[in-house]
Amino acid sequence: MNREFQHNLRGGRSIRQWARDTTGSFFKPPFPWRSTGWDRQECCEKLFRAPVCYSATQLLPWAYEMVRYRKRSHLVITVSLAIIMIMLFFDKKTNLPLVKNSLCRGIPATNTITPLKDNRTFIIAPYFDNRKNKMIRVISVAHHKEVKELYCWFCHPANGEIYISKAEIDVHSDRFDFPYGATDLKCLEPKDWEPHFVSIHWSPEGDIEQLPLFEIRNHDPERSLVEFTVCISTMFGEYNNVLHFVQNMEMYKILGVGRGVIQQEQSTNGENPKDIGYYGQITALNDCIYRSMYRSRYLLLNDMDEIILPVKYPNWKTMMQNHQVQHPKAAVFIFENHIFPETVFTFSDPFNISSWRTIPGVNILQHILREPDRKHKVNPWKTIVDPKKVAQTSVHFVLQAYGNKVHVSIDVAFVYIVRFPSRQSFLENPS
């Protein structure tokens, strides 16, 4: 299949024609090969075992055809569009562990989620955190009852010395009664040397060469900052709201986003993904905070169908500059959700564009009428945070922060969300 793909794109059919005619399950996600230092050929050979790599703009027609001609595969639609949109707007780096000239050996962890052999703990990534106590904070998912003891194994790269410390297992309080929850494994690192890799094991005894090896991030913070990063909660199930996805991405660009992180659900060792902390949603948001801590001034933590929409200001930058002056000790800014029912359309419809009608999904430009507030009901919230001042977050609010929390008035900004109405009276278009 790879050879056919290469042949057809170089001298045969177009990408669109190839996607239309292909019936196999070929899917190789595009990759920002320029950031690796490899050339295009090395990227494909090393990462995807594919003969050719193509840029995001070259692959956009292919992704569109996958939407049109392979509608039965919602996962392909979601992943292909998500990765390509991220590549178009944001730059990413590879994070494959690499130990050079080291006496330490282990099994490099290359997956987004790495299950431990106890099958009750899943490791995402370790981060250096010296904001309160100097430690390694390992973002993970763990069973809230069955995981009682874990150990952090550090290896000195020069002399092979092994240092083992017992991890403090901190399961986040907001677990929504699922058996697994977002968990911080807090490891005290060696006092006399700085480790760059860590392994996690259920016992203080064993062979470190047989353990997964994780690179510790944030030891050397990146200097290049963007103003805003949007962290999208996990996209799960048969998500195929393509038009809504593209329109929201364009709105993020207009409002000032510089990076975007989208988490895609993946199965994990046969466990029900919903049981893994509700598709790992909270864990994904926490990982985004630490991954972006020194790369972004602010983070927006919201769902794919939500936009934090300024009312008083033209963009997020102006809004946050004014609010930060008013609240210099703030770490978290809280915005109220408001529903714009997908069953209610505008009376005049200048945005009912014919070419968009064939694309699956909601056209947000047709929904500008807000559902009235419900008495005695508190609307959910979403947040903009300073990642350097946040320790733990849930979906709708921050659990632990090194700073104040500010509720932003609806006259200043609110969370715009197009979804099924909460009231029976809005099930049909009143117009």
Side-chain angles (χ1 to χ4, degrees), residues 86 89-90 92 228-232 249 257-262:
I86 292 171
F89 306 150
F90 322 113
K92 292 178 66 179
F228 294 96
T229 292
V230 58
C231 299
I232 302 297
M249 281 292 182
V257 76
R259 287 181 64 246
V261 179
I262 297 177

Side-chain angles (χ1 to χ4, degrees), residues 5 15-16 18-28 59-81 84 242 360:
F5 184 53
I15 295 177
R16 178 170 295 184
W18 178 86
R20 180 182 293 122
D21 295 344
T22 299
T23 57
S25 59
F26 174 80
F27 174 68
K28 297 292 182 184
L59 286 173
L60 272 175
W62 170 71
Y64 177 68
E65 291 301 323
M66 301 304 274
V67 171
R68 290 185 58 195
Y69 294 99
R70 306 177 81 175
K71 290 182 180 178
R72 68 183 184 275
S73 178
H74 298 288
L75 182 61
V76 170
I77 294 171
T78 301
V79 176
S80 60
L81 279 175
I84 289 173
V242 178

